[in-house]
Amino acid sequence: RMPWLDYAPVLHASALTGAGVDEALDTAASALAWRRTKVPKRRLNELFARAQLLRPLPVVRGARLKMQYATQHATESPTFVFRMNRQAEMHPSVVRWVERTLRSHWPFDATPLRLVFKSDPPRRRRRNALARAEGASSRFVKMPKKKWRELQKPFWQREKFVAQVRERNRERRRASQEARRAAAAAGGLPTSGRIGSALAARHVR
């Protein structure tokens, strides 16, 4: 009648005769041990990497859900966090499949499990993609907010591009001034103003 409680054993005990009390105490001790069990992250990720090959997760809004990694965040109340590739409300059948897969290797007898599915919001996913495009190799990248805002601008408004344009203009002005001085020294031309610039440019040509 309650299939979601199949992990909880049903015990019968009698306070009058003492029958089944030892079994109940042994079950409680076993549950306490499983409640404090810490699953290694490497083995957990290997398990679900194989499981997804055998049973791929459903497609949501044109893209297949994938588990990027899994980890156990807490014991005492065993909590497993699964990082997904996109935001989606997990169907109960998928949640049950994840729990059955987990219990097939670590039974967690008489212990409820808490499963949490998380994903980066679209803004952060774009931020990580931009960071990787800038040369970062890590999957999850922490980028300063100032750099993130800079990457959101069109390329012609970014500080690096603006600095390059300014430097190019400075070089052109410097070359023009040197040409005017050279022309003035050679032919006595004016060294400033529009006339001097035009004459210097004509002289250089």
Side-chain angles (χ1 to χ4, degrees):
R1 294 181 180 181
M2 294 185 291
W4 59 89
L5 292 178
D6 55 356
Y7 63 86
V10 179
L11 303 177
H12 301 277
S14 172
L16 182 63
T17 63
V21 174
D22 293 338
E23 184 181 358
L25 293 176
D26 293 340
T27 303
S30 174
L32 179 62
W34 278 112
R35 191 178 179 86
R36 295 176 177 175
T37 298
K38 180 71 173 179
V39 178
K41 183 177 179 179
R42 180 180 60 82
R43 294 183 59 191
L44 189 63
N45 283 278
E46 289 176 353
L47 169 64
F48 281 100
R50 294 194 302 269
Q52 288 181 96
L53 293 176
L54 298 175
R55 185 189 185 279
L57 294 177
V59 176
V60 177
R61 295 192 294 273
R64 185 170 298 279
L65 286 175
K66 293 181 181 180
M67 291 182 186
Q68 295 176 335
Y69 72 90
T71 184
Q72 184 178 359
H73 270 201
T75 56
E76 291 298 332
S77 179
T79 302
F80 293 88
V81 178
F82 300 88
R83 179 69 67 175
M84 311 301 293
N85 63 332
R86 62 185 303 156
Q87 288 180 326
E89 185 176 352
M90 304 302 292
H91 193 271
S93 62
V94 177
V95 178
R96 289 195 297 270
W97 170 76
V98 171
E99 184 172 354
R100 286 197 302 269
T101 303
L102 190 58
R103 290 184 185 277
S104 66
H105 286 70
W106 300 278
F108 286 98
D109 295 331
T111 304
L113 301 180
R114 183 168 177 259
L115 306 180
V116 180
F117 299 90
K118 291 184 177 182
S119 65
D120 289 333
R123 183 181 180 88
R124 184 173 295 177
R125 286 203 301 271
R126 174 170 169 76
R127 179 174 174 177
N128 290 340
L130 288 172
R132 289 194 295 271
E134 287 291 315
S137 58
S138 176
R139 177 178 293 181
F140 301 101
V141 183
K142 290 185 178 180
M143 186 189 302
K145 289 185 178 180
K146 183 177 180 182
K147 186 174 182 181
W148 163 243
R149 295 194 192 99
E150 185 68 19
L151 291 174
Q152 291 298 302
K153 298 178 183 178
F155 74 92
W156 61 86
Q157 295 180 1
R158 297 180 186 176
E159 292 181 1
K160 186 176 180 180
F161 180 79
V162 172
Q164 291 175 353
V165 172
R166 288 176 179 172
E167 183 63 26
R168 194 180 306 122
N169 292 337
R170 287 195 204 98
E171 292 177 358
R172 288 177 179 174
R173 285 196 299 269
R174 194 179 304 115
S176 178
Q177 291 173 0
E178 292 176 356
R180 285 202 300 269
R181 293 193 190 98
L189 298 175
T191 59
S192 62
R194 294 183 180 179
I195 297 177
S197 300
L199 292 174
R202 185 180 299 176
H203 183 77
V204 171
R205 291 173 189 171

